[in-house]
């Protein structure tokens, strides 16, 4: 296997072989970019995550406080919505503040805020939107999910080729999860975020990096 | 004139829609006898025929489902068919006694470039119908009905008045629009074909069977003027469907609903309208029931979309008692927007799909749970955002930039806003104050000094205090 991957792609092309990069799910070695991902808008993070948020998979944000880490999603929401794609926020713990989102470049016409009555409705709505293939990204704020539910959402995201983001408060570190990406978030100095990559498909876990406060346009 | 007659040979049975797999028949009281007037295939296979006494039929098939004839249900079917016919031409008229609907289509000849085009179009449209239909096309109402009853099909249409006589000459005389008794007498006199009846002296029929009979023949041939009552689609749509045996689960309601919505779509198409709000009323045997009010994001007349939304509503409901009756009512209609075909279909297909997704979400979660945000031109943080009411126009992606809010001149704002500001102990402030003093004119006046602050974990906060006040309040979060 490794010898195949070690071939320079030009020689593979010359011999008329199938381009390995075009096959989904083939392990491509460390440090290669995943083609189906949405950039996070932060170069260092993109590098660590092999391209950004994985498309067609679940990503998990773990933090100690409810809602912590929203600012990390803003560049993604801005890029999707200005491109005319839809994005949805399901059961956010606070009010997504329209003027701030607008300032961050989010086209609010393409953003949905779903405020369901209970957890069952929230999960249902998330699954529907992920599966529909009409939403570029769906972010859900919820307590940690059971394995069957997580798998369901993962399948829905896979079907709809959508970026599924689940944000947990309370941070159960080490709990089993099938999410393709798990990030642990902590406040850092100067309003930044400390991101620890607990898990990332195709990359080494355990990387830590600091993201500057993306929102601080002025002091 | 050129009339298309649509005849429903199995109307009494189809109006009641009994399940096809068990033998069923429709019976009617005639004088002292109860006669079977229609049977389904399962019953016919076991020897029951229309016209036999009900008791004899029950003797043949003890488990026969014998339904009383329902004239109101038949009328409903005819009316929904008339609504459908409205999309072919006008005027439309009904013949409830003979299960016929006529529509005048001569003006459509030009539209469809002659006979072949018209016939093709009618045949194509007739495939939309669930009922068994027989079609006839002729210059008079009588002749069109005669062709339809004989199941002549569109291939044997009559184009001109003068051709009627020759075209119908060889048909059996039972097809003539005369009283049953008159037909019986004619047959007993040894006549068999329509041609033989038409050959009788003009006034002989009138003298023997009354003036109506003579007139009917003259009208059939187009020698006397015909009169008809024009059918107008009712301004309010109401349909009622009784469920045989009742439906115990919401799943079981979906099949009859599909049929109801199919009829509804025909009506909408006939009126060239679309619907945004309608009501479904479900009743049990004790006439207790519940209403489902359906509101859509955008008007539609697609029965599948309507069914999808109804289904989400129904899934949330646990039926106490079996449902025996469904009523569908729509009072307001919107003009149907002609579907604009996009050169590159894709964009509009996604928008359409998204509307439908949004509707499904709203149907289950409630319309207030599915929200769109917009900035509002107000400096007070609580009022500088709104929930925008409906969906944004689905063509929005082409309409350019999002509206610029007046608020984009302000200092940075946090992405999370707390619904209610929370009192906190004095935080560590990180910057100068931004004073927001506003709203004295509408009674909601406030004066606050907002600061960027930090708590002990290092989280960035958006806090304020009122000048002169001591209490700090947390109003937003930055991360």
């Amino acid at each position: 296997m490794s010898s195949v991957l070690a071939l320079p792609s030009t020689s593979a092309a010359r011999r008329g072989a199938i381009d390995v990069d075009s096959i989904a799910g083939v392990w491509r070695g460390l440090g290669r970019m995943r083609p189906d991902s949405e950039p996070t808008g932060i170069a260092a993070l993109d590098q660590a995550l092999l391209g950004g948020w994985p498309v067609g998979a679940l990503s998990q944000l773990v933090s100690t406080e409810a809602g912590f880490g929203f600012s990390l999603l803003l560049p993604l929401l801005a890029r999707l919505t200005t491109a005319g794609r839809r994005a949805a926020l399901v059961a956010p713990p606070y009010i997504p503040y329209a003027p701030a989102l607008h300032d961050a470049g989010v086209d609010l016409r393409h953003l949905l805020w779903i405020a369901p009555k209970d957890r069952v409705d929230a999960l249902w709505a998330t699954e529907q939107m992920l599966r529909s293939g009409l939403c570029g990204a769906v972010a859900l704020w919820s307590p940690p999910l059971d394995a069957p539910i997580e798998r369901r959402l993962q399948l829905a995201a896979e079907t709809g080729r959508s970026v599924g983001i689940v944000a947990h408060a309370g941070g159960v570190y080490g709990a089993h999860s099938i999410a393709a990406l798990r990030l642990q978030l902590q406040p850092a100095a100067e309003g930044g975020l400390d991101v620890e990559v607990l898990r990332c498909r195709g990359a080494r876990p355990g990387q830590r990096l600091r993201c500057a406060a993306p929102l601080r346009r002025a002091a | 004139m050129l009339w298309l007659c649509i005849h429903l040979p199995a109307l009494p049975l189809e109006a009641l829609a009994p399940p096809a797999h068990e033998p069923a028949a429709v019976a009617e009281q005639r004088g002292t006898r109860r006669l079977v007037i229609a049977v389904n295939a399962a019953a016919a296979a076991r020897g029951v025929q229309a016209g036999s006494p009900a008791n004899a039929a029950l003797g043949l098939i003890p488990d026969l489902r014998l339904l009383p004839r329902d004239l109101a249900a038949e009328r409903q079917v005819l009316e929904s068919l008339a609504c459908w016919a409205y999309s072919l031409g006008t005027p439309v008229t009904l013949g409830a006694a003979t299960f016929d609907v006529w529509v005048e289509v001569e003006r459509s000849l030009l539209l469809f470039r002659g006979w072949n085009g018209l016939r093709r179009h009618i045949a194509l449209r007739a495939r939309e119908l669930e009922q068994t239909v027989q079609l006839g096309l002729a210059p008079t109402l009588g002749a069109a009905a005669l062709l339809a009853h004989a199941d002549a099909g569109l291939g044997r249409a009559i184009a001109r008045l003068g051709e009627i006589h020759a075209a119908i000459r060889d048909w059996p005389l039972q097809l003539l629009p005369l009283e049953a008794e008159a037909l019986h007498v004619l047959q007993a006199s040894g006549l068999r074909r329509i041609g033989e009846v038409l050959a009788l002296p003009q006034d002989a029929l009138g003298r023997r069977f009354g003036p109506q009979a003579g007139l009917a023949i003259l009208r059939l041939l187009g020698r006397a003027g015909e009169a008809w009552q024009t059918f107008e689609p009712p301004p309010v749509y109401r349909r009622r469907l009784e469920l045989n045996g009742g439906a115990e689960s919401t799943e079981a309601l979906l099949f009859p609903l599909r049929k109801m919505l199919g009829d509804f779509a025909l009506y909408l198409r006939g009126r060239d309208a679309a619907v945004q709000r309608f009501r479904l009323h479900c009743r049990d045997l004790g006439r207790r029931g519940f209403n489902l009010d359906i509101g859509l994001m955008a008007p539609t007349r697609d029965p599948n979309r309507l069914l999808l939304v109804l289904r989400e509503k129904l899934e949330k409901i646990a039926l106490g008692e079996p449902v025996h009756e469904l009523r569908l009512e729509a009072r307001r209609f919107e003009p149907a927007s002609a579907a604009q075909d996009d050169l590159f279909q894709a964009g509009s297909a996604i928008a359409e799909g998204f509307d439908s997704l949004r509707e499904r979400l709203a149907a289950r979660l409630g319309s207030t749970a599915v929200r769109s945000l917009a900035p509002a031109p107000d400096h007070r943080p609580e009022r500088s955002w709104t929930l925008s009411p409906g969906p944004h126009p689905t063509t929005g992606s082409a309409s350019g930039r999002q509206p610029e809010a007046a608020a984009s001149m302000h200092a940075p704002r946090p992405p999370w806003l707390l619904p209610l500001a929370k009192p906190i102990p004095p935080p560590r402030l990180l910057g100068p104050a931004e004073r927001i003093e506003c709203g004295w004119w509408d009674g909601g006046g406030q004066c606050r000094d907002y600061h960027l602050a930090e708590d002990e974990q290092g989280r960035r906060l958006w806090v304020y205090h009122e000048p002169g006040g001591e209490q700090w309040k947390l109003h937003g979060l930055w991360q």
Side-chain angles (χ1 to χ4, degrees), chain A residues 67 69-70 94-95 97 99-100 103 106-109 112-115 121 124 128 134 190-192 215-217, chain B residues 312 316 353-354 358 360 364-365 369 371 373 375 381 384 392 400 402 410 413-417 457 460 477 479:
Chain A
F70 186 34
Y94 305 111
I95 298 166
Y97 194 36
D103 287 352
V106 178
D107 185 342
L108 293 168
R109 295 172 305 168
L112 270 192
W113 170 15
I114 311 288
D121 277 355
W124 175 83
Q128 293 294 314
L134 300 166
E190 301 288 312
L215 267 171
R216 294 211 41 208
R217 210 176 47 177
Chain B
E312 293 300 343
K316 296 212 88 176
F354 190 78
R358 210 183 144 128
R360 269 190 305 135
R364 170 148 171 178
L365 308 177
R371 306 166 173 180
L373 285 162
S384 57
H392 296 292
Q402 58 176 324
H410 54 82
R413 292 281 182 258
W416 285 138
L417 189 74
Q457 285 111 40
R460 289 285 159 117
L477 296 170
Q479 291 144 316

Side-chain angles (χ1 to χ4, degrees), chain B residues 201-358:
Chain B
Q202 285 248 326
D203 52 347
L205 278 177
R207 275 207 308 276
R208 180 69 182 75
F209 303 115
Q212 283 304 321
L215 194 57
I217 298 291
L218 289 179
R219 283 179 171 168
L220 170 69
L221 297 175
R223 291 178 193 156
E226 287 177 303
W228 64 85
Q229 194 170 15
T230 304
F231 169 84
E232 297 278 353
V236 172
Y237 184 85
R238 276 199 197 94
R239 283 292 180 276
R240 192 178 144 261
L241 187 70
E242 267 185 42
L243 307 178
N244 295 310
E248 302 197 346
S249 67
T250 49
E251 280 294 305
L253 285 176
L254 291 179
F255 181 73
L257 273 176
R258 190 187 304 271
K259 180 173 147 40
M260 276 186 114
L261 292 173
D263 282 352
F264 189 31
L266 290 184
Y267 169 85
L268 291 173
R269 182 150 183 189
R271 268 189 65 160
D272 196 23
V275 71
Q276 190 159 16
R277 317 198 70 82
F278 64 99
R279 168 176 285 188
L280 181 75
H281 181 71
C282 305
R283 271 189 183 183
D284 61 19
L285 266 185
R287 307 210 153 250
R288 286 182 310 266
F290 56 90
N291 284 326
L292 289 177
D293 284 307
I294 310 293
L296 303 169
M297 294 286 166
T300 183
R301 60 180 179 207
D302 176 2
N304 295 326
R305 192 158 153 194
L306 297 176
L307 187 68
L308 214 61
V309 174
L310 260 178
R311 190 177 183 152
E312 293 300 343
K313 279 260 184 192
L314 281 171
E315 269 179 9
K316 296 212 88 176
I317 291 172
L319 294 182
E321 297 282 317
V323 171
H324 278 261
E325 189 183 318
L326 294 172
R327 284 163 187 263
L328 187 72
E329 185 178 300
R331 293 173 168 275
R332 282 199 53 193
F333 299 95
E334 315 291 332
S337 53
Q340 294 277 343
D341 284 336
D342 191 348
L343 182 56
F344 306 103
Q345 292 292 326
S348 66
I350 287 177
E352 174 75 7
F354 190 78
D355 270 5
S356 153
L357 170 70
R358 210 183 144 128

Side-chain angles (χ1 to χ4, degrees), chain A residues 64-72 74 81-84 86-87 89 92-103 105-118 120-122 124-126 128-130 132-135 141 186-193 213-219, chain B residues 312 315-316 349-351 353-355 357-358 360-361 364-366 368-376 379-387 392-394 396-397 399-405 407-420 430 432 452 454 457-460 462 477-479:
Chain A
T64 48
E65 298 279 340
F68 190 76
F70 186 34
S71 58
L72 205 58
L74 291 179
T81 54
T82 45
R86 315 281 175 158
L89 310 175
Y94 305 111
I95 298 166
Y97 194 36
L101 300 181
H102 183 262
D103 287 352
V106 178
D107 185 342
L108 293 168
R109 295 172 305 168
H110 297 307
L111 186 72
L112 270 192
W113 170 15
I114 311 288
K117 279 191 307 297
D118 51 31
V120 179
D121 277 355
W124 175 83
T126 310
Q128 293 294 314
M129 286 187 289
L130 283 174
S132 69
L134 300 166
C135 298
W141 280 266
Q186 265 165 354
E190 301 288 312
L193 291 172
L215 267 171
R216 294 211 41 208
R217 210 176 47 177
Chain B
E312 293 300 343
E315 269 179 9
K316 296 212 88 176
I350 287 177
F354 190 78
D355 270 5
L357 170 70
R358 210 183 144 128
R360 269 190 305 135
L361 294 173
R364 170 148 171 178
L365 308 177
T368 52
V370 182
R371 306 166 173 180
S372 293
L373 285 162
H379 290 289
R380 284 163 290 185
E382 296 91 337
R383 302 202 193 186
S384 57
W385 65 280
T386 57
L387 293 178
H392 296 292
T394 50
S397 56
S399 70
R401 297 166 53 79
Q402 58 176 324
E404 282 298 324
S408 49
M409 300 299 289
H410 54 82
R413 292 281 182 258
W416 285 138
L417 189 74
L418 269 62
L420 276 176
L430 294 176
L452 186 63
E454 199 175 52
Q457 285 111 40
R459 290 187 310 155
R460 289 285 159 117
W462 201 44
L477 296 170
W478 288 95
Q479 291 144 316

